[in-house]
Amino acid sequence: MIDLSLCGWLRAGLAGRGGEEQMTRSIMVVGTASNVGKSIVATALCRILTQDGYRVAPFKAQNMSLNSAVTPSGREIGRAQAVQAEACGILPSEHMNPVLLKPTGDMKSQVVLQGRPVGTRSAKDYFYDEKNELWQAVTESYRYLAERYEVVVIEGAGSPVEMNLKARDIANMKTACMADACVILVADIDRGGVFASVVGTLQLLAPKERALVKGIVVNKFRGDPSLFEAGRTWLESYTGTPVLGVLPYLQNLGIDEEDSVSLSSERYHGKPRIEGSIAAAVVRLPHIANFTDIDPLFLEPDVHAYFCDQPDDLADADVVVLPGTKSTLLDLDWLHKNGWSEAVLRAVERGSCLLGICGGFQMLGTRVVDPLHLESELDSGAGLGVFDATTTIQADKYTKLVQGNFAGAFEGIPVEGYEIHMGTTQFHSQQTPLAFTRPVYDSGNVASPVEEGCVSADGKVIGTYLHGVLHNDAFRVAWLNVLRREKGLPLQTAQDSRARQAETFDRLATTVRTHLRMDQLYNVVFGGD
């Protein structure tokens, strides 16, 4: 931890020279490539600066991800920024991620502007768009945060020097210049080529952009970091930029991931299955979205959770999960054509638990229809028929934070989560709702609870629109205990996932503090050149 005298000096630096009014400072984390650890480094900085007493907010101008979250105002942003807001101890805001691109199944993306969908664009159209409206939203949202917080931690996207895209790139150095940010360049040594990636990135930056880069962070180092001392010296000598730290390779942090690239990481490979464990199989849909809904299963001590690549992977599953998807009909068609539908239904017949979340819930009905072709060119498709219901894809997107109580086999357990879906599900026969919920930030708190989802009489088969449903600790344990009783396994009690998340943030911050030259970091950010 930084001592109080240094904190006092830094706070004085924030006030500016000559007693001027406090000025917001910005730190921007950019990477030499995608998946080098920008989100984790940005999250660590959010936590560290918050621990040191600053009012901190995260920001990412443009995000491309199918992992999203809902703000208290009912707006949609990238999941990574919601997690970073949590690390800062604040509520998420649509201004933390003003432009969100959600890829669909036909080389197009839904464009979400300050939390609201504004249309769907092809990659080519988006690339050639002048982006004036988008950039206006970026600058407006940054100013909103800068007026309210002392430090804004900005995360870049991909690489800042994709030369075929750079002139129209609003996510990286254009944002850095707008915010006059102190830029930290993160490189992944685990994938190899760290010297070329750092030097090449710096070389391709324009002079005014290069001047903003104040430090280099080498990430994902395995082994003794002192072994990289010669590499540090060479990088500093060749580039003239200080290496602020060499961070270790961190496994299984338990912090929500930004996009599906991370599904190949060690975190999602699952623990080796041991005798007496519960096998939880997650179907890896082609257009999988919000897969972080499944994260709590990977943290249960007696659960062997794993993503499936072929139907035979469900043969021994005690739990089958159909997660969210950006293209329900396309993924439903994929299930039917590749033998997954039969495998899922066989698992239910032999007594496995089944959980469908959002798009996965829609697939459990008898039919899904898309009359406006909002998600694909398909008009409709037969569902798995687990529930007697029809889902109609509609233009209006429903985004709400909700809370309430579970019903049916889990009656009385409190529930909270968030909904993000384009479509409504209508049941044709009597069904037991999973829960009764209402919006968290309902004006005047007068909305009546409404039925949400569906649950079988024995509690083993569930369909729900609630993202984060498994993050409700008491419910998750009660649901899994149904299986534990059947298998003769010891029953578990609920753990506090929020406390565990806070501990994870603190552990990350401690690790990064240990391996970063904190005095140099604070000097380049707050102390001037």
Side-chain angles (χ1 to χ4, degrees):
M1 297 289 288
I2 295 177
D3 62 39
L4 293 176
S5 61
L6 180 55
C7 276
W9 173 71
L10 294 172
R11 286 195 172 280
L14 275 175
R17 297 182 179 89
E20 297 173 3
E21 291 185 4
Q22 178 175 289
M23 179 179 65
T24 296
R25 303 306 299 264
S26 295
I27 308 172
M28 184 165 189
V29 180
V30 302
T32 56
S34 296
N35 204 35
V36 300
K38 294 185 297 294
S39 293
I40 291 298
V41 172
T43 302
L45 292 177
C46 284
R47 191 64 165 189
I48 288 170
L49 291 162
T50 299
Q51 288 175 336
D52 290 348
Y54 295 101
R55 298 194 312 276
V56 187
F59 182 75
K60 186 165 185 171
Q62 175 188 287
N63 203 346
M64 177 175 281
S65 177
L66 288 178
N67 279 353
S68 58
V70 174
T71 70
S73 58
R75 305 293 182 95
E76 185 179 9
I77 64 171
R79 185 73 197 160
Q81 280 60 63
V83 170
Q84 289 162 3
E86 187 176 355
C88 295
I90 59 177
L91 293 173
S93 162
E94 58 270 23
H95 295 294
M96 295 172 182
N97 178 208
V99 181
L100 174 62
L101 305 178
K102 304 193 73 175
T104 61
D106 50 2
M107 293 189 295
K108 294 181 180 180
S109 289
Q110 182 184 65
V111 181
V112 180
L113 190 62
Q114 289 180 332
R116 294 294 192 204
V118 294
T120 300
R121 305 290 301 278
S122 70
K124 183 177 180 180
D125 288 345
Y126 186 81
F127 174 73
Y128 285 110
D129 185 12
E130 291 301 324
K131 300 184 176 66
N132 292 331
E133 181 184 5
L134 303 184
W135 183 245
Q136 181 180 348
V138 169
T139 57
E140 177 183 284
S141 289
Y142 175 79
R143 286 197 299 268
Y144 177 92
L145 297 176
E147 289 170 359
R148 290 162 173 79
Y149 297 92
E150 294 174 287
V151 185
V152 179
V153 177
I154 307 172
E155 181 185 338
S159 161
V161 289
E162 302 291 355
M163 302 312 291
N164 59 319
L165 305 174
K166 191 170 183 295
R168 301 175 187 274
D169 178 10
I170 64 173
N172 289 295
M173 300 313 294
K174 186 172 183 178
T175 291
C177 291
M178 178 269 295
D180 191 25
C182 296
V183 175
I184 298 172
L185 178 64
V186 178
D188 177 1
I189 195 171
D190 189 56
R191 65 176 64 186
V194 69
F195 299 100
S197 62
V198 169
V199 172
T201 299
L202 294 174
Q203 181 67 28
L204 292 172
L205 292 174
K208 68 175 183 179
E209 298 169 340
R210 173 69 180 81
L212 294 175
V213 180
K214 304 299 183 182
I216 299 165
V217 170
V218 176
N219 195 25
K220 303 184 185 179
F221 188 89
R222 297 177 188 262
D224 185 351
S226 67
L227 297 175
F228 192 70
E229 194 57 37
R232 177 201 293 270
T233 300
W234 187 93
L235 276 174
E236 291 183 336
S237 174
Y238 191 88
T239 66
T241 304
V243 176
L244 299 178
V246 179
L247 303 183
Y249 193 101
L250 300 175
Q251 300 184 43
N252 301 320
L253 271 174
I255 294 176
D256 287 359
E257 300 284 358
E258 182 175 52
D259 54 46
S260 58
V261 173
S262 62
L263 287 177
S264 61
S265 68
E266 295 178 24
R267 176 183 180 184
Y268 290 111
H269 286 179
K271 305 183 292 289
R273 188 173 184 182
I274 59 175
E275 185 177 353
S277 63
I278 294 173
V282 185
V283 179
R284 185 169 177 172
L285 300 170
H287 304 98
I288 189 170
N290 283 73
F291 59 81
T292 53
D293 286 336
I294 316 302
D295 283 359
L297 292 179
F298 287 83
L299 300 176
E300 286 284 337
D302 64 346
V303 172
H304 170 68
Y306 56 99
F307 279 87
C308 302
D309 295 313
Q310 54 188 7
D312 288 347
D313 293 338
L314 302 185
D316 298 321
D318 301 304
V319 175
V320 176
V321 181
L322 286 174
T325 169
K326 188 65 181 71
S327 300
T328 301
L329 273 173
L330 287 177
D331 285 358
L332 183 56
D333 187 57
W334 175 83
L335 289 179
H336 291 322
K337 289 180 176 178
N338 292 280
W340 287 96
S341 300
E342 295 86 349
V344 171
L345 294 176
R346 283 197 300 269
V348 175
E349 289 174 0
R350 67 171 182 267
S352 299
C353 286
L354 175 63
L355 171 63
I357 303 175
C358 199
F361 170 35
Q362 294 173 341
M363 295 178 187
L364 297 183
T366 53
R367 196 155 196 84
V368 179
V369 298
D370 185 4
L372 301 178
H373 293 168
L374 295 169
E375 291 191 351
S376 71
E377 294 304 312
L378 297 176
D379 296 310
S380 64
L384 299 184
V386 177
F387 297 128
D388 185 17
T390 298
T391 294
T392 302
I393 307 300
Q394 299 172 328
D396 293 336
K397 177 179 279 192
Y398 188 87
T399 55
K400 290 287 184 182
L401 289 173
V402 298
Q403 63 183 8
N405 289 283
F406 284 100
F410 310 104
E411 185 172 1
I413 298 176
V415 60
E416 59 182 28
Y418 59 99
E419 297 185 39
I420 307 173
H421 54 92
M422 296 176 65
T424 58
T425 299
Q426 181 179 3
F427 288 93
H428 305 303
S429 58
Q430 185 65 36
Q431 303 283 336
T432 301
L434 174 66
F436 290 91
T437 65
R438 63 185 179 189
V440 173
Y441 292 92
D442 172 45
S443 178
N445 200 30
V446 295
S448 299
V450 298
E451 295 183 356
E452 201 292 312
C454 185
V455 60
S456 61
D458 60 5
K460 296 180 70 172
V461 180
I462 293 170
T464 179
Y465 275 118
L466 291 180
H467 293 292
V469 64
L470 291 175
H471 289 75
N472 291 274
D473 302 317
F475 161 74
R476 183 184 68 254
V477 169
W479 184 54
L480 292 174
N481 276 345
V482 173
L483 272 177
R484 292 181 177 115
R485 288 189 185 92
E486 289 185 357
K487 294 172 68 71
L489 300 175
L491 301 185
Q492 301 291 327
T493 57
Q495 300 181 19
D496 188 340
S497 60
R498 288 187 174 179
R500 184 166 53 192
Q501 181 79 320
E503 292 172 359
T504 298
F505 287 139
D506 289 339
R507 178 164 56 92
L508 172 63
T510 298
T511 300
V512 172
R513 280 185 190 275
T514 301
H515 293 88
L516 278 189
R517 295 177 173 178
M518 294 303 300
D519 55 344
Q520 282 188 295
L521 174 68
Y522 274 107
N523 184 60
V524 298
V525 175
F526 299 115
D529 296 330

